[in-house]
Each structure stands twice: as C-alpha cells, then as structure tokens.
Amino acid sequence: MKRAYKLRAYPTRPQEGRAVRLLADHCDLYNAALQERREAWRLRKVRISYGDQSAQLKEIRAADPAGQGRHSFTAQQQTLRRLNAILGIYFLRARDAKGQGRRVGYPRFKPYQRFDQVLFVAGDGARWEGANDGRWAHATFKAVGRVKVRQHRPVVGVVKTLQVKREGRRWYVVVVTDTNTAPLPPTDRSVGLDVGVARFLTTSDGEIVPNPRFLDAAQERIAELQRRKERAQPGSGNRRRLRRALAKEWRKLRNQRRDFHHKTARTLVDTCATLALEDLHVTGMTASAAGTVEHPGRNVAAKAGLNRSILDAGWSQFTRILVAKAESAGRRVILVNPAFTSVDCHTCQARCIRPRQHTVVCPLHGELDADLNGARNIAARAGLGSGQASVA
Ligand SMILES: [Zn+2]
C-alpha cells in the first residue's frame, strides 16, 4: 500500500536558492524534451518515446556539467516520465476529440514560476531521515543539500520517493512510502477509548491499561533535579550539569513513553476493527489548567504542572501513533467531540456529578466508573452502540 505525506520544509537561504535552481534546470529539461517531441511530430509525424529521450540524458549531462550534469540522473528521468504521462493523456484526449470533431491543444511549455516539483527516487540523489524524539526530520537532495522538514506525523513504511515541491513561497517535501504489512485478521471488536489521568486508558468493553510505572519514577527524578537546579548558583557549573541531567531525564522519559504508546497502540489495532476516541486538542486542555465543565476531574487530579505536562504530551502522541497504525492496517478510527463524555451517564444521558476522580454518580443509575462511562459514551457517539456488545 502506498502512502504519501506532504510535509513542510524549511530550507536555509542558500538551500532555497539551490532549490529554485533545481526547479529551473528541470524546467529547462522538461521544455527541451517537449520541444523535441513537438518538432518531431510537427515536421516528421514521428512520435518520440520516453525511452528515446532518457537515452539522451547521458549526453545532455556530459555536455552541461555545471547545469544539467549536477543533478540526479534518476530525478531527471522522473521529469521526462512526467512529460511522457502528460503527452500520453494528450494523445488519448486528441483521439477522442477527433471522433467528435473537436481539437485539443498540444501541451504547452512551462514557465519557470509554474514548474514547481521535482521527484527523486529515495536512495538515489535523495535521502530521508525521519524525526527522532521530537527533533526535525531532514530530507537531503542532490544539488540542494540537507533540508529541515517538519514531520507532524509518523512516516510509516519504506520511503520510495521524495518530491521537492514549491507552493507560493512555501516549500514542501512529499514523502511516498510503501507499507507492505501483512493484512491483520478480521475482527468485529469495536471500542470507544477513554484516556485519563488515573489510568492510561479504558475501553468501552472494560479493558484497562494502567499508567506505566516509569511515569511516576521519572516524575520523581525530574522534580528532584528541578529543585536542585533551582537552588544551584545561576551560571555555575553545577547548574549546567543539572540542566543537562534534567534534559537527559526528559529524553529518557520521552523514549520510554513512545515505546509504551507504540506497544499499546499495536495491541489495540491488532484486536479492534474500529476505534473511537475523543478528539482532544491537548494544547487546549493544558491551557485550561483551572478545569473545565467537560473535564473537571482531569485537571483537578493533575495538581502539579509537572504531572500534567507528563500526561498531556502522552495523550496527543498516543492519538497520533494510534491513528497512523490504524490507517496503515486498514482499521477505522473515529474521533468524536469530547464535550461531556465523562459526565453524562452512558445509559440515560443524565448529567452526573463527579465526587471523585474515578467515579461519576448518575441520579438514576448511581455510581459508575468514570473512565468506563466515558469510553462507553465515546463508543456511542461514534455510532458503535455502547461498545459493550463486542466484549472479547
Ligand atoms: Zn443514568
């Protein structure tokens, strides 16, 4: 299965200059190839093929070492292929039009400003380095350099091609991957998921994934280092050491957390056909530290800012990972509006009270497990019934 990711790229000034030149050179190649085909057709009624033109590339490159010769051979082939595809469509249209007594215009030359993409084969004049641990991803292109790329979601599969793309003043890299994952066994388990503070998540059919222990341990270590750093003399070597130690702890935590998220998501995707979860904009949640009507318990329980930052970062990342895995496995993910999922009774929809973090009390149905109630509301809101019917 092919998957494409369009990611924003941030070339430096010199890189941008070289990327503009790359597009211009490919534009020249494209126009020259079009010209050759056009003339051959016009003057001799000869159709030149992609193969004919590709065979000339070597010569063209040798004759122009400071121009065409600098670029990736395979990328140039892709540009010729692109022209070939455009002409292929033209000939089809022309044939149809002729039958109807119409005429179709021959493809035109492209001006520089409208030639906005070059396709590279990965590993041949282009290389992809995915984002690691929240850092920048990088795409390296021959004759351009190693360009910073914002990777907003995980890139799944083997990278096949990398495309440089210009849109107005913005630059993008389109990464195309191939995921040849074995199809997962069919299942009819469909669940709603509630992520929380006390537990990592609860499914609407009653499965509980607790928060991993390393979170607590990490929180203690980080809080301790933080305290020591604040007491240390500003500008001192000690403070610098503590800052580094702190950064290391955070890094370690992020790595462990990511592993945990991958494993948890993997298990869910393997066993569920449909997964429903709240569309949480975590930044919004963090901002409302005082608590909201929708999520009173979350913020009340997350007393410490540190605790909150540890958990919040977790939820958004987990959602991204889960969605990516589900997509590439052909499972369905439904994001639902999170309003009141935790405080409405899933059976009668009455607004409950929440005396404690893990309990809500329905006026009709009494005490309910808050997270399970939330998960069932999420399942219902996603159209999965209450999500209870499919208990494994
Ligand atoms: Zn009720």
Side-chain angles (χ1 to χ4, degrees), residues 344-350 352 361-366 368 373:
D344 285 352
C345 170
H346 77 270
T347 308
C348 69
Q349 304 309 315
C352 302
V361 181
C362 169
L364 206 64
H365 295 91
L368 305 163
N373 180 57

Side-chain angles (χ1 to χ4, degrees), residues 261-280:
H261 289 162
H262 275 288
K263 282 192 193 112
T264 308
R266 179 81 271 151
T267 308
L268 285 166
V269 167
D270 283 353
T271 56
C272 300
T274 308
L275 298 149
L277 61 160
E278 290 181 320
D279 191 1
L280 291 179

Side-chain angles (χ1 to χ4, degrees), residues 58-74:
K58 207 172 160 188
E59 230 175 284
I60 292 168
R61 292 164 58 85
D64 185 15
Q68 297 296 339
R70 301 179 312 128
H71 296 298
S72 158
F73 187 86
T74 49

Side-chain angles (χ1 to χ4, degrees), residues 55-319:
Q56 296 175 62
L57 264 179
K58 207 172 160 188
E59 230 175 284
I60 292 168
R61 292 164 58 85
D64 185 15
Q68 297 296 339
R70 301 179 312 128
H71 296 298
S72 158
F73 187 86
T74 49
Q76 289 171 321
Q77 286 181 317
Q78 299 306 318
T79 293
L80 293 179
R81 279 216 176 92
R82 192 171 142 204
L83 172 67
N84 196 51
I86 288 169
L87 287 170
I89 292 166
Y90 161 73
F91 283 118
L92 284 179
R93 282 220 195 103
R95 198 192 54 199
D96 290 354
K98 208 170 168 187
Q100 300 163 13
R102 287 186 295 117
R103 279 179 62 95
V104 187
Y106 198 84
R108 297 192 202 158
F109 296 112
K110 279 200 191 278
Y112 287 135
Q113 65 272 19
R114 293 225 1 242
F115 193 93
D116 54 12
Q117 48 182 296
V118 172
L119 185 67
F120 287 79
V121 176
D124 194 351
R127 196 174 72 236
W128 173 251
E129 298 160 76
N132 194 358
D133 204 5
R135 285 159 218 265
W136 289 91
H138 288 91
T140 307
F141 298 101
K142 190 174 183 191
V144 176
R146 187 168 176 262
V147 182
K148 280 205 294 193
V149 177
R150 169 86 67 205
Q151 188 187 322
H152 56 273
R153 61 190 182 117
V155 169
V156 183
V158 179
V159 176
K160 291 293 180 188
T161 61
L162 293 161
Q163 186 179 42
V164 174
K165 201 165 193 310
R166 179 180 57 195
E167 283 183 13
R169 288 160 66 186
R170 296 181 170 207
W171 291 87
Y172 295 89
V173 171
V174 180
V175 183
V176 174
T177 67
D178 200 357
T179 53
N180 52 354
T181 43
L184 291 169
T187 165
D188 54 8
R189 185 182 178 204
S190 293
V191 294
L193 307 175
D194 189 49
V195 290
V197 168
R199 301 170 192 156
F200 181 69
L201 70 79
T202 308
T203 68
S204 55
D205 57 8
E207 187 183 324
I208 288 167
V209 179
N211 269 319
R213 295 230 182 102
F214 65 76
L215 282 185
D216 284 338
Q219 188 179 344
E220 265 172 42
R221 283 196 303 269
I222 287 170
E224 170 63 17
L225 283 168
Q226 190 74 44
R227 271 194 300 278
R228 280 166 59 196
K229 194 192 101 183
E230 268 147 31
R231 282 199 302 267
Q233 194 78 30
S236 68
N238 189 31
R239 195 182 171 103
R240 208 168 43 241
R241 266 192 302 281
L242 285 163
R243 198 174 54 229
R244 269 202 296 270
L246 205 49
K248 198 176 152 195
E249 279 300 334
W250 274 108
R251 203 155 54 232
K252 193 172 142 200
L253 167 66
R254 283 195 296 267
N255 286 337
Q256 286 179 315
R257 192 171 51 197
R258 186 168 354 86
D259 283 351
F260 169 72
H261 289 162
H262 275 288
K263 282 192 193 112
T264 308
R266 179 81 271 151
T267 308
L268 285 166
V269 167
D270 283 353
T271 56
C272 300
T274 308
L275 298 149
L277 61 160
E278 290 181 320
D279 191 1
L280 291 179
H281 294 287
V282 173
T283 45
M285 278 185 56
T286 314
S288 58
T292 60
V293 186
E294 291 94 316
H295 293 283
R298 280 203 175 109
N299 293 311
V300 170
K303 297 180 280 289
L306 178 59
N307 184 27
R308 206 173 56 243
S309 72
I310 284 175
L311 290 168
D312 283 0
W315 292 323
S316 60
Q317 174 175 273
F318 176 70
T319 304

